[in-house]
Amino acid sequence: MVRTLLVNLCRLVLATVFILSGLVKIIDPRGFSYKIDEYAGAAGITDFHLAHASLLFAAAVAMLEFSAGIYLFFGIRRRLTSLVTLLMMTVFAALTFWSWRWHAVSDCGCFGDVIHLTPAETFFKNVVLLLLCLPLVRHPRAQVRFISEKSQWTIGLYVWIYGAALCAYNVYMLPVMDFRPYHIGADLLRAMQPADAGDVRYTHTFIMEKDGERREFSLEDYPDSTWTFVDRRTRIEGSAKALPPIHDLSIVSPSTGIDTTEALLSSEGWKFLIVAPDLREADDGVMERLAELTDYCSHYGYPLYCLTASNEEDIRYWQDITGAEYPYLLADRTPLRTMVRSNPGLVVLKGSTVKAKFPAIGLPSETELTDRADRLALLNPDLETHLRMLLRLLLWFVGPLFILTLLDNLYRLIIHIKNKKRIMRKHIVAGNWKMNKNLQEGVALAKELKEILAAEKPNCDVIIGTPFIHLATVADLLKDSCIAVSAENCADKESGAYTGEVSAAMVKSTGAEYVILGHSERREYYHETPAILKEKVDLALANGLKVIFCIGESLAEREANKQEAVCKAELQGSVFHLSAEQWKNIVIAYEPIWAIGTGKTATAEQAEEIHAFIRKCVAEVYGEAAAQETSILYGGSCKASNAPELFGKEDIDGGLIGGASLKAPDFKGIIDAWK
Ligand code: PGA
C-alpha cells in the first residue's frame, strides 16, 4: 500500500515535470535548438547547427520528453517508460553537472523561456528527479493505469503525432505561446529598464577586420571606415538578478557604429523590422513578399529596416539575391533570435510596443496590406492569453484522442461480438476442496449444491474437485446433475506396486470427468516436477479424463517480474508436447502462489494481463483458433465479492476456487458472477 502510494506519487511528479518541460520545448523548438547549439559550442562542437541537425535533435528530445510524460501519466508501457525516464534523467543530470562545474551555459533551458534556472539549481532539481525514477524502475507495475491495456496504443501513438504536428507548426509558423520579452504587446523600452540598475554595466565591443587582421574595438576607439565590421559583442557585468528582461539589445548603424536603439524605439508611429539574424542562411523564398512590404512602407511612409547580425559581405550577398532596398542595422545574434523565431521574420512596432510578428512563411502579402497600419486587423491582432492558448492546446490533444478512442472501442466491440458468435469458450467455476471434509460432510455439501443448482440453473460449467475418498459416492450422487466431478490428483504410473497411489484409470472408473494436476501445493510439498506432471497429464488423457492444469508464480518470482517466464516454462515442461486433439481436453488454471489461501487476490488487471499472455503462448503452439477456445481459469482467494470483476475480463473464463468452495452459498455466489 505504502509502496503503491510512493511509486504513484513519484510517477505523477515526474509526469508533470516531463509534460511541462516537453511542452515548452515543443512550443519553441528553435529556442531549444539554440540552447543545444550553446551546449554543443561549450563542448567545442561549433557546426552542430548545420544542416538543421540541432533543430531536428531539439524536436526529437522535446517530443521524447513530452511523450514520456504522457506515457507516465496514463501508465502506458510502464516498464519501458520507467527505464527511458531514468535514462533521460541520468543524461540530463550528467549534462547539468558538467554545465554547473565547468560553467558551460548560464541557463539550463529545461523550461525554455518560462522559468530560468541557474546550472546549480538545475543540477539539484535533476538529482531529485533522478531519485524519483528509482521506485518506478524497481516497481513499474505498481503504477496504476488510467486507461485499459488494450487502448494504451491510441494515446501512445497519438501523443507522437500531436507532438510532431505541434513541433512542425511552431517551427514553420511562430511559437504558439511567446514567453520572451519581445512578445506581442510588450513595450520594448520598458522591458529594457533595469529594476535595479545599481550594479549592472554593459560594454559593447566591435570586431573589425582590415587586410586579414581582426581586432576588437570599443565605442570609444571605433576605427575609421577602412576597417570592415565583422561582429559585435555585448558584455554584461554585475548581478544577473538586477538585469532587465531585455538587456542585450543594442541596435547599431553599420556606417557610423552609433547605437540607435533608443532613438529607433522611442520614435512615435509604426515601423517595420525585418529581423534576420543570419542573412547567409535566411530563407530567400520571401523576396516577393519583402518587395511588396517595401512598397507598402514607402507608400504610407513607414520606416522599414533590416536588423541583422551578419557581416558586410553577407549583407551584400543578400542585397544581390533579393535586390532589397531597405537600410540595415546591426545587433547581436542572440537578441535577434529571441525577438522572432524565424530567419527572416517580421516584427511590427508602434512606438516601442510590439504590435505583430510574422514568420518567413507567413509574411503579409500586398492583398493583405491594403490600408493604413492602424486599420489593418492583421497588424493589430487580439492578444491571446497563455491560459486560453493552453486550453486550446489541451482541446487539440483531447478532442482527436477522444474520437480515436471511440473508434478503437467501437472496432473492438464489433470484433468482440463477432468472436462471441464464433467462439464457444467454456466458462467454468471449479471447486477444489483440497484435504477438507470427511465422507459424510463432503456428500452433504455435494447434495446441498446439487439442490441449489437444480433450483437455479448456472450460467457456466460447474465442477467440484474432491479427495479420492469422496469421488465414487459424489460422482454417483451428481450423475444426473449439472455438476461434474474432478479428482485432485492421480498417479504418474499406470498401475502396479505403488502403495497408496491412485491411478488415472481408477479415477475414471469412479465416474469423475476431470483431474486437477500441477497444483502449486503438490509441486511444493510433494516435489512434483514438470517431468512427473507430464507423465500424469499423458496418463489422465489416455484414460479419458480432462485435465485442469495449474500454473503460477511465487511472490519472489512476481517481485522479480518473472511471472510470464515462469508460466510459460510450466506449460512448456508439462503440456505443450500434446497434440492439437489432446489439447481440447485441457483447461488451464492460473494461480499465483502468493494469492492462494492468503486473502490477497491479483487485481483484475494483473490477472487479465497474464491470462492474455498465456493465451498468446497457447496460440504460438496450437494456433489462434485453439487459443480462443481454451478456457483459462483464475485461482487464488477468488470469492463472490471479487469474482464479477475478475470474470468480467476478456481472457478470464472462470475460477478454480479453494476456500470459498467449502460452503455451498459461498460457491454459489461465485457461480452467480456469470449471471
Ligand atoms: P483459494 O485456493 O481460493 O483458497 O485461494 C485456490 C486454489 O488453491 O485452487
Side-chain angles (χ1 to χ4, degrees):
M1 182 66 193
V2 177
R3 183 212 284 163
T4 311
L5 221 79
L6 178 78
V7 169
N8 283 287
L9 201 71
C10 293
R11 160 252 187 136
L12 289 178
V13 172
L14 280 165
T16 313
V17 174
F18 269 63
I19 291 174
L20 287 181
S21 71
L23 194 63
V24 293
K25 288 176 189 131
I26 287 182
I27 285 175
D28 187 8
R30 281 191 198 274
F32 183 43
S33 80
Y34 300 152
K35 190 50 75 180
I36 289 175
D37 284 342
E38 210 181 311
Y39 275 103
I45 311 165
T46 48
D47 53 2
F48 194 52
H49 66 285
L50 292 180
H52 301 296
S54 56
L55 186 56
L56 283 175
F57 186 64
V61 173
M63 285 189 324
L64 183 65
E65 213 178 329
F66 180 67
S67 305
I70 296 283
Y71 277 41
L72 276 175
F73 179 78
F74 284 103
I76 299 170
R77 304 294 308 265
R78 294 169 296 185
R79 203 140 57 98
L80 182 70
T81 307
S82 305
L83 281 174
V84 170
T85 311
L86 177 73
L87 193 76
M88 285 168 79
M89 279 325 303
T90 312
V91 174
F92 291 160
L95 203 66
T96 46
F97 179 71
W98 165 68
S99 171
W100 173 44
R101 298 308 297 165
W102 282 274
H103 310 289
V105 299
S106 56
D107 170 25
C108 62
C110 305
F111 297 100
D113 293 293
V114 184
I115 306 171
H116 293 279
L117 295 178
T118 66
E121 287 165 349
T122 305
F123 173 65
F124 288 113
K125 175 209 80 179
N126 284 348
V127 169
V128 172
L129 292 180
L130 186 62
L131 291 177
L132 294 187
C133 292
L134 300 180
L136 263 65
V137 176
R138 181 86 184 79
H139 308 288
R141 283 168 203 265
Q143 298 172 51
V144 179
R145 276 210 186 98
F146 291 155
I147 43 151
S148 74
E149 196 190 354
K150 289 264 156 63
S151 46
Q152 56 177 346
W153 77 269
T154 32
I155 301 185
L157 181 71
Y158 178 68
V159 67
W160 286 96
I161 300 174
Y162 176 84
L166 191 57
C167 218
Y169 183 88
N170 289 309
V171 167
Y172 289 106
M173 302 309 282
L174 296 177
V176 289
M177 285 163 101
D178 194 345
F179 299 101
R180 284 156 289 137
Y182 300 91
H183 59 85
I184 293 178
D187 181 337
L188 301 189
L189 274 182
R190 177 141 4 115
M192 291 169 81
Q193 299 300 316
D196 162 21
D199 52 351
V200 186
R201 254 170 304 112
Y202 309 98
T203 25
H204 302 294
T205 55
F206 305 86
I207 315 286
M208 311 292 278
E209 198 174 84
K210 182 175 170 181
D211 304 333
E213 184 203 349
R214 279 193 182 192
R215 265 172 59 191
E216 196 165 345
F217 295 94
S218 69
L219 258 181
E220 286 74 38
D221 62 356
Y222 199 79
D224 59 35
S225 60
T226 57
W227 288 79
T228 320
F229 172 84
V230 179
D231 200 2
R232 46 178 262 122
R233 296 209 175 111
T234 305
R235 288 200 188 83
I236 304 147
E237 286 153 42
S239 135
K241 292 276 180 234
L243 287 181
I246 300 178
H247 50 259
D248 54 359
L249 178 67
S250 155
I251 302 171
V252 175
S253 151
S255 50
T256 60
I258 291 175
D259 189 319
T260 59
T261 322
E262 182 94 29
L264 179 78
L265 294 182
S266 54
S267 68
E268 295 282 312
W270 290 84
K271 44 201 158 266
F272 291 72
L273 307 177
I274 300 163
V275 179
D278 197 336
L279 286 172
R280 186 64 73 164
E281 283 177 22
D283 178 355
D284 56 10
V286 294
M287 279 180 265
E288 216 170 293
R289 290 282 164 96
L290 288 184
E292 289 168 15
L293 183 68
T294 316
D295 290 346
Y296 172 74
C297 288
S298 70
H299 182 257
Y300 287 102
Y302 298 136
L304 170 68
Y305 299 99
C306 177
L307 253 61
T308 181
S310 298
N311 57 26
E312 246 175 75
E313 194 187 322
D314 290 347
I315 292 178
R316 228 172 295 120
Y317 161 81
W318 179 255
Q319 280 172 321
D320 285 348
I321 62 163
T322 60
E325 299 202 346
Y326 30 78
Y328 290 80
L329 293 172
L330 301 178
D332 275 4
R333 172 174 283 119
T334 307
L336 294 186
R337 281 169 153 191
T338 314
M339 213 176 268
V340 59
R341 299 291 200 209
S342 180
N343 183 29
L346 175 67
V347 176
V348 182
L349 299 178
K350 186 177 181 186
S352 58
T353 303
V354 179
K355 295 296 285 181
K357 289 198 206 184
F358 301 89
I361 201 175
L363 289 177
S365 69
E366 64 183 351
T367 52
E368 291 164 313
L369 296 169
T370 49
D371 205 343
R372 301 198 61 80
D374 274 321
R375 297 206 201 113
L376 287 180
L378 181 75
L379 301 180
N380 298 278
D382 288 338
L383 287 186
E384 171 110 59
T385 61
H386 289 331
L387 186 67
R388 252 187 36 207
M389 190 34 123
L390 210 59
L391 286 177
R392 208 186 292 198
L393 290 180
L394 192 72
L395 215 68
W396 269 105
F397 187 71
V398 177
L401 194 61
F402 181 71
I403 296 172
L404 204 64
T405 312
L406 213 69
L407 288 177
D408 180 42
N409 281 333
L410 203 68
Y411 171 75
R412 224 175 277 291
L413 192 73
I414 294 169
I415 297 286
H416 185 70
I417 293 170
K418 265 195 185 159
N419 282 350
K420 260 231 153 101
K421 273 195 208 141
R422 204 158 39 89
I423 301 162
M424 296 302 290
R425 192 151 79 212
K426 271 187 185 156
H427 294 156
I428 300 171
V429 173
N432 175 13
W433 290 358
K434 306 193 179 181
M435 199 174 75
N436 292 298
K437 311 269 178 204
N438 63 26
L439 181 60
Q440 290 72 27
E441 289 165 346
V443 169
L445 173 58
K447 220 184 223 166
E448 190 183 354
L449 209 58
K450 180 182 173 186
E451 279 158 18
I452 293 178
L453 295 184
E456 196 183 334
K457 282 254 164 288
N459 232 350
C460 59
D461 285 11
V462 177
I463 304 168
I464 49 175
T466 76
F468 290 131
I469 191 78
H470 302 68
L471 274 184
T473 324
V474 170
D476 192 44
L477 174 73
L478 299 177
K479 213 166 34 210
D480 303 318
S481 76
C482 61
I483 307 171
V485 178
S486 171
E488 295 173 14
N489 183 25
C490 71
D492 59 338
K493 301 286 187 294
E494 216 171 323
S495 66
Y498 301 102
T499 308
E501 284 296 287
V502 176
S503 73
M506 292 171 183
V507 170
K508 180 70 183 174
S509 71
T510 63
E513 273 181 61
Y514 289 85
V515 59
I516 299 171
L517 293 174
H519 194 284
S520 61
E521 286 150 16
R522 293 218 54 92
R523 289 182 197 255
E524 190 181 343
Y525 309 141
Y526 303 98
H527 313 294
E528 293 191 357
T529 61
I532 295 174
L533 290 169
K534 188 174 171 195
E535 293 297 323
K536 292 189 176 195
V537 169
D538 286 344
L539 284 168
L541 293 176
N543 283 284
L545 290 169
K546 293 178 192 152
V547 175
I548 300 174
F549 189 74
C550 306
I551 56 176
E553 79 286 353
S554 66
L555 185 59
E557 286 160 343
R558 159 101 12 200
E559 282 178 345
N561 204 15
K562 291 199 181 127
Q563 60 274 28
E564 292 186 348
V566 169
C567 289
K568 191 169 185 175
E570 287 178 343
L571 291 168
Q572 282 168 333
S574 311
V575 288
F576 272 177
H577 65 287
L578 298 173
S579 68
E581 204 44 42
Q582 286 175 310
W583 184 261
K584 290 183 181 156
N585 293 313
I586 300 285
V587 171
I588 302 290
Y590 165 67
E591 299 202 309
I593 301 170
W594 47 273
I596 297 177
T598 57
K600 274 192 194 167
T601 340
T603 63
E605 284 73 26
Q606 278 175 326
E608 169 61 15
E609 193 170 277
I610 194 120
H611 276 232
F613 171 77
I614 294 166
R615 200 176 300 287
K616 199 174 96 200
C617 294
V618 175
E620 281 164 14
V621 181
Y622 297 102
E624 187 57 36
Q628 289 300 336
E629 279 166 21
T630 303
S631 297
I632 306 177
L633 315 183
Y634 168 79
S637 300
C638 183
K639 33 191 186 286
S641 57
N642 56 25
E645 199 191 345
L646 286 160
F647 297 176
K649 295 288 173 191
E650 201 172 316
D651 289 299
I652 302 182
D653 307 311
L656 179 55
I657 320 297
S661 70
L662 296 174
K663 284 190 186 141
D666 293 351
F667 196 49
K668 168 77 167 40
I670 299 174
I671 294 168
D672 285 347
W674 283 118
K675 287 254 148 101

